[in-house]
């Protein structure tokens, strides 16, 4: 990859290809429960994006802006020669940038689940807290260093508003380990966090979703405290072939709070719009 090494997991059958994307401070394991089910009849590919949970630092000159990471996803699909992809994302809202940049040709189906949208960058209280930390020398190290203390993980300003139920500590330890141990990984994350484009550009990205003419599903957590539920409804209005679903008893990280309900929506959507059909 032009930015450096992107690790990924691949599992499942020889069925349709589903690529799953995660958000800041996480890795591919966010999707472990969903992949365990959907992988029975789909080929599931989960890259770890350079958003803080990656274990190999990117090149020092890598473009890790919001648009830059969207281009990493496009290059990833190209390098693996993946076509007619079902692209599923949670928390990270890069679909808007990917489509706006004219790089959505390999995507056959788009699934957006509770994520950054419109001008909600950085998102909510956790995002604002991280953005403030990133502006200070050593701020990223301090912010994630606090998360070594397990009670700190459930505060509203950290991860308490991301899931209704605590993420297992061993999973979070795995997510945060690169940021705890590597100043280069912290550098990569800082570049991303401080790259938020102007509001007008963010809103233009959202408008460009009108150009995505393939089936799309928007799934939102009804109790989301970081990604406003009305954003899900607004996204559906932009997508020419958009459909909307809501999931109760969940915050932003639906793959953690309600993986089975999410799988049910994914399967129903893909049955209505199998890859290869118009």
């Amino acid at each position: 990859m032009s930015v450096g090494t992107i690790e990924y997991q691949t599992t499942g059958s020889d069925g349709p290809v589903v690529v799953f994307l995660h958000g800041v401070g996480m890795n591919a394991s966010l999707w472990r429960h969903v992949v365990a089910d959907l992988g029975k009849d789909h080929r599931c590919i989960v890259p770890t994006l350079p958003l803080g949970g990656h274990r190999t630092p990117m090149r020092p000159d890598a473009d890790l802006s919001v648009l830059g990471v969207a281009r990493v996803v496009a290059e990833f699909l190209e390098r693996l020669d993946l076509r007619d992809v079902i692209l599923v994302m949670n928390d990270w809202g890069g679909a808007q940038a990917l489509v706006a940049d004219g790089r959505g040709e390999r995507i056959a189906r788009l699934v957006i689940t509770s994520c950054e949208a419109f001008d909600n960058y950085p998102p909510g209280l956790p995002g604002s807290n991280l953005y403030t930390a990133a502006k200070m020398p050593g701020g990223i190290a301090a912010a994630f260093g606090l998360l070594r203390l397990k009670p700190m993980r459930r505060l509203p300003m950290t991860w308490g508003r991301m899931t209704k139920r605590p993420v297992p500590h061993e999973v979070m330890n795995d997510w945060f380990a690169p940021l705890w141990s590597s100043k280069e990984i912290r550098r990569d994350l800082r570049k991303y966090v401080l790259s938020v484009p102007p509001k007008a550009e963010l809103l233009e990205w959202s408008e460009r979703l009108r150009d995505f003419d393939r089936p799309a599903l928007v799934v939102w957590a009804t109790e989301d405290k970081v990604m406003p539920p009305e954003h899900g409804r607004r996204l559906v209005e932009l997508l020419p072939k958009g459909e909307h679903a809501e999931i109760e008893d969940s915050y932003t990280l639906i793959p953690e709070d309600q993986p089975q309900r999410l799988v049910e929506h994914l399967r129903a959507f893909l049955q209505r719009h199998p890859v290869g059909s118009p």
Side-chain angles (χ1 to χ4, degrees):
M1 297 280 292
S2 60
V3 295
T5 299
I6 300 295
E7 297 180 355
Y8 67 95
Q9 298 175 4
T10 180
T11 187
S13 71
D14 293 329
V17 176
V18 189
V19 175
F20 296 93
L21 305 177
H22 61 82
V24 166
M26 291 171 260
N27 60 30
S29 69
L30 171 69
W31 293 101
R32 63 197 183 281
H33 301 305
V34 173
V35 167
D37 188 314
L38 208 65
K40 297 171 184 176
D41 46 13
H42 293 76
R43 181 186 175 195
C44 297
I45 300 175
V46 195
T48 291
L49 300 177
L51 297 175
H54 56 300
R55 299 186 178 278
T56 303
M58 299 295 100
R59 296 191 176 100
D61 62 347
D63 178 4
L64 299 180
S65 64
V66 178
L67 182 57
V69 176
R71 289 172 174 168
V72 168
V73 173
E75 183 182 351
F76 178 80
L77 300 181
E78 181 180 356
R79 290 292 186 99
L80 293 186
D81 195 25
L82 301 175
R83 302 175 186 275
D84 293 329
V85 165
I86 303 155
L87 190 68
V88 185
M89 62 191 61
N90 177 245
D91 186 38
W92 182 63
Q96 298 156 89
L98 193 68
V99 172
D101 201 39
R103 297 172 187 262
E105 68 277 358
R106 293 177 179 266
I107 305 170
R109 304 289 182 265
L110 181 62
V111 181
I112 302 173
T113 75
S114 283
C115 66
E116 300 158 327
F118 302 102
D119 58 348
N120 189 29
Y121 289 82
L125 182 58
S128 297
N129 184 55
L130 182 58
Y131 180 76
T132 300
K135 291 193 292 184
M136 299 183 294
I140 294 285
F144 280 89
L146 288 173
L147 295 178
R148 292 179 182 271
L149 305 173
K150 294 175 182 178
M152 299 296 292
R153 299 175 179 182
R154 296 303 297 166
L155 295 179
M157 67 182 63
T158 59
W159 290 80
R161 291 187 174 181
M162 297 298 290
T163 58
K164 286 195 73 172
R165 301 155 189 80
V167 178
H169 288 303
E170 62 271 19
V171 172
M172 298 196 90
N173 290 342
D174 185 55
W175 288 354
F176 304 149
L179 287 163
W180 289 339
S181 61
S182 171
K183 64 180 181 181
E184 290 81 13
I185 298 294
R186 295 193 292 271
R187 173 207 65 198
D188 289 348
L189 178 58
R190 185 173 187 269
K191 288 167 67 174
Y192 175 81
V193 172
L194 295 181
S195 75
V196 178
K199 179 177 179 178
E201 184 174 353
L202 290 169
L203 294 176
E204 174 60 23
W205 288 352
S206 299
E207 284 295 316
R208 291 291 299 275
L209 287 176
R210 297 183 188 277
D211 299 334
F212 189 82
D213 59 358
R214 283 135 280 168
L217 175 66
V218 178
V219 182
W220 226 264
T222 59
E223 299 177 53
D224 203 318
K225 297 179 180 299
V226 177
M227 315 297 182
E230 60 265 27
H231 281 186
R233 295 185 283 272
R234 287 173 60 190
L235 287 173
V236 173
E237 293 175 358
L238 293 173
L239 290 157
K241 295 183 179 179
E243 300 178 13
H244 187 232
E246 293 186 331
I247 291 181
E248 298 179 350
D249 195 26
S250 178
Y251 289 169
T252 301
L253 300 187
I254 301 173
E256 287 289 338
D257 274 337
Q258 293 291 347
Q260 190 55 47
R261 290 289 295 131
L262 180 55
V263 168
E264 291 170 4
H265 283 295
L266 287 172
R267 287 193 177 281
F269 171 69
L270 295 175
Q271 286 172 2
R272 291 192 300 272
H273 306 286
V275 173
S277 65

